[in-house]
Amino acid sequence: QRYRKFTPSSLRVAVDPTVVTKKEYQDICGTDFDGDSLEKRLSATKFLYPKHVEVIQDLEQAAADAAENILLETGEKAWQPQDYLPDLSKEGWEEEVKEFRAMAKEIPDDVFVVLVGDMVTEEALPTYQTLLNTFEGCDDPTGTSDSAWAKWSRGWTSEENRHGDLLNKYLYLTGRCDMRNIEVTIQHLITNGFNPGAKKDPYRGFVYTSFQERATKISHGNVGK
């Protein structure tokens, strides 16, 4: 009797041992390929990356400090987009807008192209918060969770929300952009979603977001220069 030779691909295993060693798999997932170990892990934790979650939980105090001391104040104490724009509720707003548009006329077209790109990126904020809530150990399952990571996520989102609001209103008031087409682009972007390949892993997720936030800071800084 002949026996069929099975390969990792024919067995359709989740992790190919020729690519990831057993030790690497155990380091990532906190278990090995043994069936009994898998059962124990699944009965003890709901996480795919329990060791990564342990580290994230150890960092919870740092997240709490960031939410309390580093993220900007909210509400009346914080700057708001309207602080930098003409106030259309006041008498004489027409002159304010005329002066505003006169200044905007001096800005080169290529700068406006970058501003539109920056604004579209900021307006995709719902997608980013959705992404944060997929990272194991730092999600916000109820939307009002009291954990430090959930508070940090909501605080970061509320802070970021003002950036898109300011850029959107600024571009609208300049009268130099096709705002409807920009709005169509933003709606498509949010509708289509976004997947950077973090796969619920908080390590992968925060590596991506760290680079993304740094790139955004550089882009906005260059526009300001």
Side-chain angles (χ1 to χ4, degrees):
Q1 182 179 1
R2 294 186 177 181
Y3 294 93
R4 180 183 172 189
K5 182 179 179 181
F6 288 97
T7 64
S9 58
S10 64
L11 289 171
R12 300 183 182 278
V13 295
V15 180
D16 185 345
T18 65
V19 177
V20 179
T21 67
K22 286 185 178 182
K23 183 168 188 317
E24 288 172 330
Y25 182 85
Q26 186 172 7
D27 286 343
I28 293 170
C29 295
T31 188
D32 54 31
F33 284 100
D34 179 73
D36 290 337
S37 296
L38 284 170
E39 286 299 323
K40 287 178 182 178
R41 180 173 71 88
L42 290 172
S43 65
T45 178
K46 61 183 178 180
F47 298 118
L48 294 173
Y49 310 95
K51 288 196 172 184
H52 292 185
V53 171
E54 284 181 20
V55 175
I56 291 297
Q57 290 172 343
D58 286 342
L59 292 172
E60 192 154 299
Q61 186 57 52
D65 292 341
E68 184 70 26
N69 303 315
I70 298 177
L71 291 175
L72 301 180
E73 294 281 357
T74 58
E76 292 296 327
K77 295 181 180 180
W79 70 266
Q80 299 298 336
Q82 190 55 53
D83 297 338
Y84 300 94
L85 299 167
D87 187 349
L88 305 189
S89 68
K90 291 183 178 179
E91 292 290 333
W93 63 265
E94 297 93 337
E95 290 303 316
E96 277 193 62
V97 172
K98 284 181 182 178
E99 182 181 352
F100 181 89
R101 288 192 166 189
M103 290 188 292
K105 270 189 175 181
E106 304 300 319
I107 299 175
D109 288 344
D110 55 351
V111 174
F112 264 93
V113 171
V114 177
L115 281 172
V116 169
D118 286 344
M119 187 267 282
V120 169
T121 301
E122 295 286 354
E123 292 283 52
L125 184 61
T127 304
Y128 306 142
Q129 187 175 30
T130 299
L131 174 66
L132 286 174
N133 277 332
T134 68
F135 300 163
E136 290 189 336
C138 48
D139 57 341
D140 185 6
T142 67
T144 57
S145 299
D146 200 40
S147 72
W149 282 109
K151 288 181 177 179
W152 175 87
S153 175
R154 295 196 301 270
W156 175 85
T157 301
S158 70
E159 183 176 326
E160 290 287 308
N161 185 62
R162 297 168 306 164
H163 304 167
D165 283 351
L166 177 55
L167 285 168
N168 192 314
K169 292 174 181 177
Y170 174 84
L171 292 172
Y172 169 72
L173 288 171
T174 65
R176 291 184 56 184
C177 298
D178 183 347
M179 292 304 296
R180 192 179 194 284
N181 271 329
I182 293 172
E183 289 160 358
V184 168
T185 299
I186 293 168
Q187 188 173 19
H188 280 310
L189 179 61
I190 296 174
T191 300
N192 291 335
F194 171 64
N195 180 12
K199 300 178 181 179
K200 299 173 71 70
D201 183 356
Y203 282 14
R204 288 192 186 102
F206 282 124
V207 166
Y208 166 78
T209 53
S210 297
F211 276 100
Q212 188 266 338
E213 283 295 289
R214 182 64 178 172
T216 301
K217 179 179 180 181
I218 291 171
S219 177
H220 287 338
N222 288 339
V223 172
K225 294 175 183 177

